[in-house]
Amino acid sequence: MNITIGSNIKALRDKKRITQKQLATYLGVTEQAVSRWESGGGYPDIGLLPSIASFFSVSTDELLGISSDERAQRLAE
């Protein structure tokens, strides 16, 4: 599985028209941390995933790049 969380965060942030700084402030992290995630230089702490998903009104699966079809297929297996 290819981890796409950084590009997903960037796309969601762009869609919501907020800055990295605004997202960082909401999450209690630095703007540089958000930049690092989006550029693929690191990943958010696992404890932040629910907050990030909630902020963008998506599931953690969607945030991680797992489609509902893929999730259904995995559950069937």
Side-chain angles (χ1 to χ4, degrees):
M1 175 170 59
N2 189 16
I3 299 175
T4 59
I5 190 166
S7 58
N8 292 345
I9 290 172
K10 177 158 178 39
L12 290 164
R13 188 178 58 74
D14 288 345
K15 184 177 179 182
K16 200 166 184 170
R17 295 185 159 178
I18 63 161
T19 65
Q20 289 178 340
K21 185 173 185 164
Q22 289 170 310
L23 178 59
T25 299
Y26 173 81
L27 296 172
V29 300
T30 65
E31 185 177 349
Q32 291 80 7
V34 175
S35 175
R36 195 170 36 253
W37 304 338
E38 291 183 358
S39 67
Y43 303 108
D45 184 89
I46 195 166
L48 289 174
L49 297 182
S51 295
I52 297 169
S54 175
F55 182 81
F56 291 117
S57 301
V58 297
S59 70
T60 52
D61 281 351
E62 290 174 276
L63 184 62
L64 293 169
I66 300 170
S67 69
S68 57
D69 292 339
E70 185 179 352
R71 185 177 61 184
Q73 181 183 7
R74 286 183 182 187
L75 288 174
E77 295 172 358

